[in-house]
Amino acid sequence: MAPMAAREHFDIIIVGGGLSGIGAAYRVATMCPSKSYILLEGRDDLGGTWDLWRYPGVRSDSDMYTFAYPFDLWKSNHALAEGSEIKEYLGAVAKRHGIVERMRLGS
């Protein structure tokens, strides 16, 4: 039997690397900076719904100026964005705010 790996401790575990999970990670980092956290995503990439659904023409039915994060506003001229644009936005937000480093993909 192989020896047990050292266990990691996190104060907070966030499940899901989509819009809500990334938003929660940002809030934890800014409102509870003394707390450690990890974001677990079962898929191999972040984006949640916008990573899962990739069929032609997939887009938001909500205005991205109100759907986007208040801490990192939507800057595109397209209010109703294509799915790939939303996924790119989520990835950029996660990188800009150091969330990607706290993600564990394929978990």
Side-chain angles (χ1 to χ4, degrees):
M1 178 189 253
M4 213 157 116
R7 292 185 183 183
E8 294 179 86
H9 170 82
F10 298 100
D11 297 311
I12 299 167
I13 298 172
I14 301 167
V15 178
L19 189 73
S20 296
I22 293 169
Y26 174 83
R27 294 292 180 206
V28 167
T30 57
M31 299 175 85
C32 309
S34 65
K35 300 291 184 186
S36 63
Y37 77 89
I38 189 161
L39 191 154
L40 303 176
E41 170 55 49
R43 297 178 57 77
D44 292 331
D45 202 359
L46 61 78
T49 297
W50 305 108
D51 178 52
L52 181 62
W53 303 115
R54 298 180 190 187
Y55 56 86
V58 66
R59 62 185 311 117
S60 173
D61 60 357
S62 298
D63 163 2
M64 286 303 296
Y65 299 114
T66 55
F67 187 59
Y69 300 115
F71 59 85
D72 202 315
L73 300 176
W74 180 255
K75 294 181 176 72
S76 172
N77 291 331
H78 302 107
L80 297 177
E82 301 269 337
S84 59
E85 289 179 287
I86 298 169
K87 186 172 182 298
E88 286 174 26
Y89 165 74
L90 294 173
V93 168
K95 279 185 182 173
R96 262 193 299 278
H97 297 283
I99 297 166
V100 169
E101 291 80 26
R102 305 282 191 115
M103 294 181 86
R104 190 163 296 155
L105 302 173
S107 305

